[in-house]
Amino acid sequence: MARWVLHVDLDQFIAAVEVLRHPELRGRPVVVGGDGDPTKRGVVSTASYEAREHGVHSGLPLRTAAKRLPDAVFLPVDRAAYEEVSETVMEVLRSTGAVVEVLGWDEAFVGVELEDPEGFARSLARRVREQTQLDCTVGIGENKLQAKIATGFGKPAGVFRLTFANWFEVLGGRPTDALWGIGAKTAKKLADLGIGTVSELAAADPDALAAVFGPMTGPWLVLLARGRGDAEVDDSPYVARGHGREETFQRNIADWSRVEAEVARIAGLLALDLASEPRPALRIVVKVRYAPFITETHGVTLASPSSEAEVVVRAAAEALGRFTGRRPVRLLGVRAQFERGARLEGTWLYRPLHADLAEGGIGGQRLALGGHGEPAALVQQAGAGVGLGHPQMHRGGVLLDSPADHRVDDRLADAAAAGLRPDEHADQLYCARCLEEAAAQAGRADLGQEREKRAIAGGPPVPFVVAEGGLPGVGRAEAVWRVSQRLQADLA
């Protein structure tokens, strides 16, 4: 029997839940966001199809939504209600016996082995409808990339199959941003190179794209356009990377002393939330959104993992001190990133969802990619590769970070959380000969500390980590070089 990946996406989920709770709203334009007051600052969480016809969509400022559609019904966000309904839907999916990988409140991948995926998809949608009165669209593919894109062609409440057989027939003439993982900025850069469609990208020279986007991202974009993707559906429970609190102020704060006070207050509230969290915080990150809408973040890695209120507040103050701007502020947030050593049991801290660059990966291992195709830092743990990145996606309705949103120190902080430590002297170890030399010394915990290893060929220093047990890590540039070679072979 054939293996398939299904992407189940609940149609206008939040708005649909609200209509179920308020049947009198059926057929009317419904907008959900903030506390439901469109005169206040906030953004649209979701809009019903009736509202979308008037240009109201997720992420739109509530005030703009009210101007475009003053007769819409505005409702506050009720996370508890959405989570309850979402869990019911996921249990319906699991009841089929299929492997279910939850992506968020309103979507999940389902892995099955059968001959009639359309029949199964329709029965799945029917079960969801019977149990929850909600409609869903099901995309079918040979991997996650295909299934995810297929969903868009099946909406609303339909079923669509996208495979290698009809990939170019369906997508070939479409713009490159029709691909999951390519946004407007990347599409524009491709257009500047004369690449405007999916077919043109699939036929592009990987070396030429590597010169523009980098040795990893360039070839990855070509594979993406050819429909290559990760086909493994994993039902392991999601463990949140962190927990945060943020607040949008109805009036901009111009007095920086008040900004400091508000950050301390929000950090204190976060510390109360962390009291019930079994994992201590490893890093505290402060987010500042200046008026009109410019966002900046800075973080501080704690000397030792802790969720004590005093530690959290002090770290937040230190992070805030790294902001050089003193412009009026409209939003403040404080986030704690957790220690994640327990995730090493499954080899991967986070899974790549956008593309499986090589089934064998580098040295028989696999490389995690970020949502923008950026390679994550790699470390070696007990002989297995561990990715320290995360694809950009929604889980529980919240957009999570990707490696593109973090700097090297964040990735090395991840390594420390996983029981690894930065090697201060081996960050230039990226050529194959140096790597082999280091591997021969596996078991020495002081690897790289006796002498500084430099690259045989010139080049910038690269991040490098070493496991506590002494197993050598893989420098990022080395990882990029080796995977790049594998990619060239795949694309040949």
Side-chain angles (χ1 to χ4, degrees), residues 1-7 98-100 109-121 138-144 146-147 150 160-166 230-233:
M1 287 194 290
R3 297 180 61 185
W4 301 97
V5 176
L6 277 59
H7 178 248
V99 180
V100 178
F109 284 120
V110 178
V112 293
E113 292 188 27
L114 39 77
E115 296 300 332
D116 181 16
E118 279 87 358
F120 181 80
V138 184
I140 302 170
E142 296 174 77
N143 54 49
K144 292 177 179 177
Q146 295 172 358
F160 192 88
R161 184 197 291 204
L162 181 62
T163 65
F164 289 112
N166 66 341
D230 179 22
E232 179 185 357
V233 179

Side-chain angles (χ1 to χ4, degrees), residues 9-21 32 45-49 52 58 78-90 104-107 128 132-136 155 396-397:
D9 192 0
L10 292 161
D11 297 335
Q12 53 173 0
F13 173 64
I14 295 177
V17 172
E18 292 295 352
V19 170
L20 286 178
R21 301 168 74 189
V32 181
S45 295
T46 194
S48 65
Y49 288 130
R52 296 178 193 182
S58 299
D78 188 343
R79 296 180 61 90
Y82 312 144
E83 289 172 352
E84 181 180 355
V85 176
S86 174
E87 184 54 36
T88 300
V89 172
M90 299 309 162
W105 284 341
D106 60 347
E107 60 178 330
V128 171
T132 66
Q133 301 181 56
L134 296 175
D135 290 321
C136 66
K155 283 186 174 293

Side-chain angles (χ1 to χ4, degrees), residues 208-244:
L209 293 187
V212 177
F213 294 95
M216 279 290 295
T217 303
W220 172 77
L221 291 171
V222 177
L223 290 178
L224 197 68
R226 295 181 182 182
R228 291 284 301 275
D230 179 22
E232 179 185 357
V233 179
D234 190 338
D235 61 356
S236 59
Y238 168 68
V239 178
R241 173 175 184 164
H243 178 73

Side-chain angles (χ1 to χ4, degrees), residues 191-380:
D192 292 341
L193 298 174
I195 300 173
T197 67
V198 173
S199 289
E200 290 170 346
L201 179 57
D205 180 2
D207 289 331
L209 293 187
V212 177
F213 294 95
M216 279 290 295
T217 303
W220 172 77
L221 291 171
V222 177
L223 290 178
L224 197 68
R226 295 181 182 182
R228 291 284 301 275
D230 179 22
E232 179 185 357
V233 179
D234 190 338
D235 61 356
S236 59
Y238 168 68
V239 178
R241 173 175 184 164
H243 178 73
R245 275 188 176 248
E246 62 181 44
E247 183 173 333
T248 299
F249 301 95
Q250 297 308 310
R251 292 186 178 181
N252 297 336
I253 302 176
D255 183 356
W256 199 255
S257 63
R258 186 187 165 197
V259 171
E260 295 172 342
E262 292 292 347
V263 166
R265 179 181 63 82
I266 296 172
L269 294 174
L270 174 61
L272 292 176
D273 297 338
L274 299 180
S276 59
E277 169 61 51
R279 296 169 295 168
L282 173 76
R283 184 174 173 80
I284 302 298
V285 178
V286 171
K287 172 181 176 181
V288 174
R289 178 165 295 155
Y290 299 106
F293 215 82
I294 300 173
T295 304
E296 186 178 341
T297 62
H298 286 289
V300 171
T301 299
L302 303 181
S304 59
S306 173
S307 294
E308 294 294 328
E310 181 180 351
V311 175
V312 173
V313 173
R314 184 169 60 247
E318 182 180 346
L320 182 63
R322 299 184 179 183
F323 290 81
T324 57
R326 291 296 185 269
R327 302 186 298 277
V329 171
R330 62 175 289 152
L331 177 147
L332 292 170
V334 183
R335 182 174 180 81
Q337 295 178 356
F338 296 135
E339 191 171 31
R340 299 194 304 277
R343 297 289 287 176
L344 285 173
E345 296 174 2
T347 302
W348 286 97
L349 289 173
Y350 294 101
R351 298 182 302 278
L353 290 187
H354 288 278
D356 186 357
L357 285 181
E359 284 72 13
I362 63 170
Q365 302 163 4
R366 288 173 53 177
L367 179 68
L369 285 183
H372 298 289
E374 181 185 357
L378 286 186
V379 298
Q380 189 124 340

Side-chain angles (χ1 to χ4, degrees), residues 41-83:
R41 284 177 171 172
V43 297
V44 175
S45 295
T46 194
S48 65
Y49 288 130
E50 293 82 2
R52 296 178 193 182
E53 293 177 356
H54 296 270
V56 177
H57 53 78
S58 299
L60 188 73
L62 286 172
R63 291 174 177 172
T64 304
K67 290 179 181 178
R68 292 184 182 180
L69 193 55
D71 296 332
V73 177
F74 288 84
L75 299 174
V77 174
D78 188 343
R79 296 180 61 90
Y82 312 144
E83 289 172 352

